[in-house]
């Protein structure tokens, strides 16, 4: 109607899509066809869309190339290199999964060990920001984890650096069993040299200090034997390097009238999932679920509370998608009752048995939420309970990612520091002496201490400090 005389004979939509979709290499003389899902034994459940379909969720909009606001994509913001944006990784993964790069084995399946694809994935912080900020919610962190796991299967083993990160709970347990010796040994020049040469741990990065384990400081006698029952699922970081946070959480919860029980966990598979050690993660999850099952089936347990957001995201997100032996319904019941301590205190405010009094803080409360916390719950959830108590004192930092991201900050120091310098570290350095910097993630607190020379506190520590 708008162009009289222009008569066209449009091709069918499916033929146009065929030209636009990712194509495998065609055989001589054969027509090019749509890339099909790869029939490999994946560690994650990818549903009807399959592994390749999940990678194709990235539609190339390029929202990941934004330079301010939100969190996505921290490595692109630091490097300004398209290769290290969410879209760059999505493109690389589609090519690799469809067999266009990296080649294929004798059965026609792609070989998941392309050096260039691995290099493209190497600077992904697994922050999961793309899962919530990308318009199509592409989860590059999970795709990266699957690809790495498949590459280890092809090689027959995983790199030593990845295995060291995956063994973080074992290392923490050994270190906290003799904290003075472990702290002295890890500070020695030879130890730092060896860790850098063998494990890729940059010697400029400080090493967490081990402490007396939380379970050895925990009094098994409940303060409120008849109070509502909650279980503190304690992660390896709180248990072995920051037990004071676990004790603070208990005091705060008891001040609200709860009976608090300790479940000594590990990192709930978080480190293994992040570096692609999915066979190890599956075994670890099954062992933990076997121990947790009696508590999950106990209706008197009102909630499972956690302190580390990355461990909560493992339980509520990755545990439900991995192919583990543990019953899915049991995992879903656990996820539905799992909360961060500060999140639970705010959400159930009207139901608490008691409401203790709190003193007024001297300065502002500057809140930085962990990336997984932002992706699952939003940045405000880290500040909710603080706003309820001191609404005029709380300021949520629009600081994106801290740049530490667990093992990433140890092995990619320069990029990690550059990400932190985009917003978070300058904001922390600009804070007044009386201001309190609140950060729920152990990695975030580590980065702030190293990069801004400020001590950040967990929200439950702030609550504990101000109990009247």
């Amino acid at each position: 109607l708008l162009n009289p005389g222009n008569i066209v004979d449009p091709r069918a939509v499916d033929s146009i899509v065929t030209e636009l979709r990712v194509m495998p290499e065609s055989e001589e003389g054969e027509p090019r066809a749509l890339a099909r899902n790869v029939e490999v034994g994946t560690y994650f459940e990818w549903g009807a869309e399959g592994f390749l379909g999940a990678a194709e969720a990235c539609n190339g909009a390029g929202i990941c190339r934004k330079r301010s606001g939100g969190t996505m994509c921290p490595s692109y913001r630091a490097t300004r290199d398209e290769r290290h944006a969410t879209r760059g990784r999505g493109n690389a993964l589609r090519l690799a999964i469809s067999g266009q790069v990296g080649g294929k084995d004798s059965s026609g399946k792609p070989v998941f060990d392309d050096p260039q694809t691995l290099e493209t994935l190497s600077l992904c912080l697994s922050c999961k920001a793309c899962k919530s900020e990308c318009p199509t919610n592409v989860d590059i962190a999970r795709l990266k984890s699957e690809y790495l796991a498949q590459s280890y299967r092809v090689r027959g083993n995983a790199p030593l650096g990845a295995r060291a990160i995956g063994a973080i709970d074992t290392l923490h347990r050994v270190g906290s069993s003799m904290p003075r010796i472990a702290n002295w040994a890890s500070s020695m020049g030879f130890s730092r040299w060896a860790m850098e040469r063998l494990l890729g741990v940059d010697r400029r990065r400080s090493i967490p200090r081990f402490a007396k384990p939380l379970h050895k400081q925990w009094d098994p006698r409940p303060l409120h034997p008849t109070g509502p029952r909650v279980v503190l699922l304690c992660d390896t970081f709180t248990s072995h390097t920051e037990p004071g946070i676990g004790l603070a959480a208990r005091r705060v919860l008891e001040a609200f009238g709860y009976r608090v029980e300790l479940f000594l966990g590990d990192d709930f598979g978080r480190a293994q999932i992040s570096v692609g050690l999915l066979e190890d993660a599956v075994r670890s999850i099954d062992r933990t679920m076997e121990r947790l099952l009696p508590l999950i089936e106990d209706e008197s347990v009102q909630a499972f509370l956690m302190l580390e957001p990355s461990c909560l995201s493992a339980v509520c997100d990755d545990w439900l998608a991995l192919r583990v032996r543990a019953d899915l319904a049991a995992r879903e019941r656990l996820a539905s009752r799992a909360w961060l301590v500060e999140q639970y205190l705010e959400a159930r405010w009207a139901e608490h048995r008691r409401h203790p009094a709190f003193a007024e803080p001297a300065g502002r409360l500057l809140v930085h939420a962990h990336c997984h916390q932002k992706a699952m719950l939003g940045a405000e959830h880290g500040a909710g309970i603080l706003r309820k108590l001191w609404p005029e004192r709380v300021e949520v930092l629009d600081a994106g990612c801290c740049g530490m991201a667990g093992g990433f900050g140890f092995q990619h120091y320069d990029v990690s520091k550059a990400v932190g310098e985009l917003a978070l570290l300058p904001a922390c350095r600009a804070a007044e002496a009386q201001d309190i910097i609140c950060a729920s993630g152990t990695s975030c607190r580590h980065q702030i201490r190293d990069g801004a020379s400020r001590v950040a506190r967990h929200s439950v520590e702030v609550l504990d400090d101000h109990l009247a």
Side-chain angles (χ1 to χ4, degrees):
L1 292 174
L2 298 177
N3 297 275
N6 293 342
I7 301 175
V8 297
D9 182 20
R11 288 170 292 156
V13 171
D14 58 354
S15 69
I16 298 173
V17 171
T18 300
E19 295 181 7
L20 298 178
R21 291 281 297 277
V22 175
M23 303 293 188
E25 294 178 351
S26 61
E27 300 295 334
E28 187 67 29
E30 292 186 6
R32 293 166 67 84
L34 285 172
R36 301 299 179 189
N37 284 333
V38 186
E39 295 183 4
V40 295
T42 59
Y43 295 93
F44 283 104
E45 290 277 4
W46 295 103
E49 64 184 357
F51 188 19
L52 176 59
E56 287 183 327
C58 172
N59 63 15
I63 307 300
C64 48
R65 288 168 54 92
K66 62 183 179 180
R67 298 182 183 180
S68 62
T71 302
M72 183 175 72
C73 170
S75 50
Y76 172 74
R77 293 187 187 189
T79 64
R80 301 292 171 86
D81 185 347
E82 165 80 18
R83 178 182 193 175
H84 297 298
T86 302
R87 182 169 69 179
R89 296 188 189 101
N91 288 335
L93 283 165
R94 284 196 296 273
L95 293 170
I97 298 170
S98 62
Q100 294 187 73
V101 298
K104 300 177 182 178
D105 61 18
S106 57
S107 64
K109 296 179 181 178
V111 178
F112 293 98
D113 198 28
D114 175 54
Q116 292 299 316
T117 302
L118 293 170
E119 176 64 23
T120 300
L121 297 176
S122 66
L123 294 190
C124 173
L125 284 79
S126 297
C127 67
K128 286 190 175 287
C130 50
K131 186 172 182 178
S132 60
E133 296 181 24
C134 171
T136 58
N137 306 117
V138 60
D139 191 345
I140 292 294
R142 183 171 295 173
L143 288 161
K144 166 196 168 185
S145 181
E146 181 74 64
Y147 187 89
L148 291 177
Q150 296 294 337
S151 76
Y152 302 156
R153 179 187 281 173
V154 170
R155 296 184 201 174
N157 57 36
L160 184 58
R163 282 185 278 144
I165 292 173
I168 191 70
D169 181 63
T170 300
L171 295 174
H172 274 60
R173 288 175 186 272
V174 173
S176 66
S177 67
M178 42 184 180
R180 291 185 180 180
I181 296 174
N183 291 333
W184 169 79
S186 65
S187 66
M188 299 295 290
F190 175 77
S191 299
R192 297 312 308 269
W193 174 85
M195 284 189 284
E196 187 170 65
R197 291 296 298 272
L198 297 176
L199 308 178
V201 176
D202 197 295
R203 68 182 67 189
R204 292 171 290 179
R205 176 66 70 186
S206 70
I207 301 297
R209 304 280 294 176
F210 296 106
K212 184 179 179 181
L214 176 62
H215 67 276
K216 292 188 177 181
Q217 303 183 50
W218 189 276
D219 187 346
R221 296 169 297 180
L223 182 62
H224 303 298
T226 60
R229 186 180 172 204
V230 295
V231 175
L232 185 65
L233 300 183
C234 203
D235 59 272
T236 191
F237 314 105
T238 302
S239 294
H240 304 297
T241 61
E242 299 177 289
I245 296 176
L247 296 173
R250 178 180 186 172
R251 288 190 292 266
V252 170
L253 288 165
E254 288 178 339
F256 280 89
Y258 288 95
R259 172 180 174 172
V260 188
E261 298 178 14
L262 178 67
F263 179 89
L264 189 60
D266 46 26
D267 70 328
F268 298 92
R270 169 48 60 209
Q272 294 164 341
I273 293 168
S274 296
V275 297
L277 295 171
L278 296 184
E279 289 186 9
D280 295 339
V282 165
R283 286 192 292 268
S284 174
I285 293 166
D286 279 327
R287 287 195 301 268
T288 303
M289 277 297 298
E290 189 175 350
R291 294 171 54 215
L292 275 172
L293 195 56
L295 292 170
I296 295 171
E297 294 175 343
D298 191 336
E299 295 298 330
S300 69
V301 176
Q302 292 201 356
F304 295 92
L305 304 180
M306 306 182 78
L307 291 161
E308 173 56 38
S310 65
C311 294
L312 179 71
S313 75
V315 170
C316 295
D317 184 18
D318 297 302
W319 280 30
L320 304 183
L322 278 166
R323 299 178 190 271
V324 299
R325 291 193 307 273
D327 181 56
L328 176 59
R331 285 178 277 150
E332 290 175 339
R333 287 199 300 273
L334 172 62
S336 68
R337 294 155 67 192
W339 308 70
L340 293 175
V341 173
E342 61 270 33
Q343 175 196 8
Y344 183 78
L345 290 174
E346 181 202 6
R348 298 295 179 87
W349 183 262
E351 303 169 25
H352 298 319
R353 195 178 190 186
R354 302 177 180 180
H355 287 85
F358 290 88
E360 190 80 7
R364 295 176 299 164
L365 301 176
L366 305 179
V367 180
H368 172 71
H370 187 283
C371 288
H372 290 195
Q373 189 174 10
K374 294 173 186 174
M376 290 188 303
L377 308 168
E380 283 294 325
H381 274 80
I385 186 63
L386 303 178
R387 282 200 193 281
K388 189 171 286 294
L389 297 172
W390 307 292
E392 303 301 322
R393 297 281 187 177
V394 178
E395 178 181 335
V396 176
L397 298 175
D398 183 12
C401 178
C402 76
M404 186 67 187
F408 182 91
F410 289 96
Q411 297 178 333
H412 301 279
Y413 180 84
D414 290 324
V415 175
S416 170
K417 187 79 184 304
V419 172
E421 291 293 349
L422 291 171
L424 177 61
L425 297 180
C428 292
R429 286 193 287 264
E432 300 292 337
Q434 70 272 19
D435 293 338
I436 302 172
I437 301 170
C438 304
S440 54
T442 184
S443 291
C444 307
R445 295 190 294 273
H446 194 151
Q447 179 80 309
I448 291 168
R449 182 173 62 250
D450 277 6
S453 299
R454 291 291 298 260
V455 175
R457 308 277 285 170
H458 194 290
S459 296
V460 299
E461 290 183 292
V462 176
L463 296 175
D464 183 47
D465 291 343
H466 293 84
L467 274 172

